Amino acid sequence: MAPLLSVKNLLVEFKTRAGIAKVLNNVSLDVHSGEILGVVGESGCGKSMTALSIMGLVPSPPGNVAGGTIELNGEDLLSASNKRLHQMRGKEISMIFQEPMTSLNPVFKVGHQIAEAILLHEKTTKSLAWERSVKMLDRVGIPEAAIRANSYPHEMSGGMRQRVMIAIALACNPKLLIADEPTTALDVTVQAQIFDLLRELQRETGTAIIMITHDMGAISELADRVAVMYAGHIIETGDTKDILSKPQHPYTRGLIACVPHLEENPSEERPYLAEIPGVVPPLTDLGKGCTFAPRCDFRTDDCTGSQPSLSKISDQHSVSCFNLNTVAS
Amino acid sequence: MSSIETQFIPKSQHPIVEAIKAFRQSWAGMLGLILLLLVILFSVAGPFIYAVDPFEIIWAPLTAPGVVANAPFGTDHLGRDVLAGLVYGGQATLFVGLTAGFLTITIGILVGAMAGYYGGGVDEILMRITEFFQVLPALLFAMVLVTLFTPSIYVVSAAIGIVSWPTTARLTRAEFLRIKNLEYVKAAQSIGARDNRIIWRVVLPNSLAPLIVSATLTIGVAILFEAGLSYLGLGDPNAFSWGMMIGAGREYILDAWWLVTLPGIMIFLTVLGFSLIGDGLNDAFNPRLRER
């Protein structure tokens, strides 16, 4: 089956004072309708930039999509007209952001903001749009939706605001929802609620979701497939089960090892939390070798020569590493 | 409706409604409002209660206030009634202040919004133009504009508007620069809103607070400006204004204090009124100040 969204060899560059920063390098990913793709990686690895590229919202200048293709249902988004992009955003692809506290316009009622998303894309009356926004609020689990639609964002908690954001994003039944760290700013119990909500809505509507996060826990809860990013490259991708149980790339292994777990008997001698030594290389100066090589325990001479390509190790699982055998043993 | 949850839902209030409530708590703002209402009452209702032609000669020149009953505030150097002049002058002064203020705000917001939102080349060009108007000596430039055309209160208003918009433009630009990078602007883009909509429906409403404060102060400044121009004899010769009364009376200041002092007090009270309202609005729009 043809994928809903197909990103191929995407290159995004930013002009900075230190030179050209290669924010995304040959990023390729497919999203099929009805699935949840998790994109993980540490800060600055290009997760959010991938999302903005798909939305056509890379700030330009200084940003610039230098190569590659993005296709939604076979339609090339990079060459689409502005008019077409405006039609598409919100209607076919929507996005929810990291900070529910600041993602809503503080001077309008939340019901108004959902209705606005509907009115931008559909010919309908204001009162019908309002009714639908009340329904949306109810669907995302806000009690007394008819009253709550009249609230201003500052009168709501973070979790409720993120629910409103989700209602706005899903108001026009998009085919693809990009969730950029939707729960990072929320506390743990609310996080779980939002995950449940996303999963439930996804099942009801069949919307595909790209879930961007740095939280391996969130991935294991939600995602069908995972793409792991490092310094603008996708370095491993596969089914969530495979990635979590049989991670192949040393970076993915490191990421999973870094997840702290609860101790049953916290004793005096607690083990140090695992970490990956070193830092992400500057994006303006990635060199020609594997971007992870400077931090990798399994580094060989091959690694400093060129960036390994993403190659399949099974039907669904691809990794970019030269030394898979040594890493595995 | 009577579930327990409903009781905890805060009663929603539009931010403007909240600001008005806060404004009413501010003594400065309320004092300014009262002052301004008095001035408006004096100038708008005055002519109906005190229907004396300010150009008509009614008594001997330079009669002091309180000497004759039909010129309670005295007469000027031509024997015209000062009170009538104050009443009619208020209309011209307020008209010029409001029109020039409106013009200033309109040009300022348009230029500032475009420069701040689009940035880059648009910003460069618009800001250089703004700076050009800023470095011109405002009073001289306004004088040139007024002398180029027949002086009338319309020309005077336009001239004041044209020289005073740069401050508003810079303020608007700064607000737009701050707000356009906030997440809710990105969120608006991500639901497919176009630039026009984002500028006027998302960014502008969120930058209104400082702009409203600045608009109030701008009207006060415009009134002072008009007084300055009229004082120099560049006002509308066919309309009485407080500035013109001061200008005409300045030669007699040692013999007839009331010619300069009375319109001076009126200008002072009006501008003070606008400034205090600006102060009150500033408190009202700034939730951090509101706590105190």
Side-chain angles (χ1 to χ4, degrees), chain B residues 35-110:
Chain B
L35 267 180
L36 192 67
L37 286 176
L38 287 177
V39 170
I40 290 174
L41 193 72
F42 177 78
S43 320
V44 176
F48 297 102
I49 299 162
Y50 192 78
V52 177
D53 184 354
F55 290 100
E56 196 191 342
I57 293 163
I58 54 155
W59 203 257
L62 303 180
T63 310
V67 175
V68 285
N70 55 355
F73 282 18
T75 60
D76 69 1
H77 60 289
L78 296 175
R80 301 179 295 191
D81 185 3
V82 170
L83 179 57
L86 289 178
V87 167
Y88 283 89
Q91 288 181 357
T93 304
L94 286 176
F95 176 84
V96 173
L98 293 174
T99 323
F102 178 75
L103 203 61
T104 305
I105 293 297
T106 312
I107 305 178
I109 286 183
L110 274 175

Side-chain angles (χ1 to χ4, degrees), chain A:
Chain A
M1 197 178 79
L4 171 70
L5 175 87
S6 171
V7 177
K8 287 206 174 66
N9 303 323
L10 188 64
L11 290 175
V12 175
E13 298 176 341
F14 268 67
K15 277 197 192 108
T16 67
R17 282 201 196 131
I20 288 178
K22 292 184 173 165
V23 182
L24 293 182
N25 290 298
N26 276 319
V27 167
S28 299
L29 48 87
D30 285 346
V31 184
H32 297 272
S33 34
E35 76 169 348
I36 302 184
L37 171 74
V39 178
V40 269
E42 61 198 285
S43 308
C45 71
K47 297 172 306 221
S48 298
M49 205 40 74
T50 310
L52 290 179
S53 310
I54 296 169
M55 296 296 293
L57 291 175
V58 173
S60 162
N64 173 31
V65 178
T69 57
I70 302 175
E71 285 181 0
L72 183 77
N73 270 337
E75 185 183 354
D76 184 6
L77 296 190
L78 290 178
S79 63
S81 66
N82 259 336
K83 197 180 162 210
R84 181 75 189 113
L85 284 178
H86 283 301
Q87 284 173 0
M88 209 132 52
R89 286 181 205 138
K91 175 81 184 149
E92 281 160 47
I93 319 176
S94 291
M95 186 161 173
I96 48 182
F97 293 87
Q98 192 167 346
E99 286 285 341
M101 303 313 254
T102 55
S103 301
L104 290 167
N105 190 338
V107 299
F108 292 112
K109 294 175 176 173
V110 294
H112 177 104
Q113 299 190 45
I114 304 171
E116 178 151 323
I118 297 169
L119 289 168
L120 274 172
H121 296 289
E122 288 171 34
K123 284 206 172 76
T124 177
T125 62
K126 279 191 178 171
S127 57
L128 283 177
W130 182 269
E131 275 171 33
R132 262 177 67 188
S133 67
V134 172
K135 272 191 203 134
M136 280 311 295
L137 282 177
D138 191 44
R139 232 171 114 191
V140 296
I142 289 190
E144 306 286 350
I147 303 174
R148 272 308 196 169
N150 284 304
S151 293
Y152 289 92
H154 71 268
E155 295 163 342
M156 294 186 147
S157 68
M160 289 179 95
R161 288 189 219 184
Q162 196 58 290
R163 285 171 192 268
V164 173
M165 284 304 298
I166 294 171
I168 293 175
L170 294 181
C172 294
N173 292 316
K175 300 186 184 101
L176 176 67
L177 172 69
I178 303 176
D180 187 357
E181 308 209 20
T183 57
T184 308
L186 305 174
D187 63 47
V188 194
T189 48
V190 182
Q191 279 187 12
Q193 291 169 8
I194 296 287
F195 288 149
D196 285 343
L197 174 66
L198 280 175
R199 200 171 352 177
E200 196 185 302
L201 290 171
Q202 197 263 350
R203 251 182 239 139
E204 276 172 33
T205 60
T207 302
I209 299 179
I210 298 181
M211 170 86 188
I212 294 173
T213 181
H214 56 246
D215 179 358
M216 277 300 195
I219 291 295
S220 71
E221 286 270 317
L222 218 55
D224 302 314
R225 285 194 306 122
V226 184
V228 184
M229 291 190 75
Y230 184 77
H233 295 266
I234 290 187
I235 49 112
E236 183 162 6
T237 166
D239 284 345
T240 309
K241 229 191 284 170
D242 291 345
I243 298 274
L244 292 180
S245 60
K246 291 174 280 180
Q248 299 296 317
H249 196 283
Y251 178 66
T252 316
R253 290 169 156 246
L255 267 188
I256 294 171
C258 285
V259 178
H261 28 233
L262 297 174
E263 303 280 330
E264 262 183 36
N265 300 308
S267 59
E268 289 293 308
E269 291 171 41
R270 294 183 201 195
Y272 282 110
L273 289 174
E275 54 172 318
I276 303 174
V279 289
V280 185
L283 294 173
T284 46
D285 184 22
L286 286 177
K288 56 183 177 10
C290 173
T291 45
F292 188 61
R295 298 170 75 178
C296 184
D297 294 335
F298 306 95
R299 183 174 54 237
T300 59
D301 289 347
D302 282 350
C303 297
T304 46
S306 63
Q307 171 76 24
S309 59
L310 202 60
S311 45
K312 284 195 172 182
I313 59 165
S314 75
D315 197 28
Q316 289 292 323
H317 198 161
S318 309
V319 189
S320 75
C321 181
F322 289 121
N323 306 310
L324 285 176
N325 294 330
T326 40
V327 176
S329 57

Side-chain angles (χ1 to χ4, degrees), chain B residues 115-169:
Chain B
Y117 185 78
Y118 288 108
V122 180
D123 186 29
E124 284 293 325
I125 293 169
L126 288 176
M127 278 302 107
R128 292 305 83 78
I129 295 174
T130 309
E131 275 158 18
F132 171 77
F133 277 93
Q134 255 186 330
V135 294
L136 283 178
L139 187 61
L140 276 183
F141 185 52
M143 283 165 69
V144 172
L145 285 178
V146 173
T147 33
L148 281 179
F149 303 92
T150 342
S152 72
I153 51 175
Y154 305 105
V155 173
V156 171
S157 305
I160 296 172
I162 287 169
V163 297
S164 14
W165 62 268
T167 332
T168 312

Side-chain angles (χ1 to χ4, degrees), chain B residues 26 46 57 63 105 121 127 143 172 175 201 210 217 220 260 292:
Chain B
S26 142
I57 293 163
T63 310
I105 293 297
M127 278 302 107
M143 283 165 69
T172 312
E175 281 296 298
R201 297 294 312 270
L217 300 175
V260 175
R292 288 180 208 161

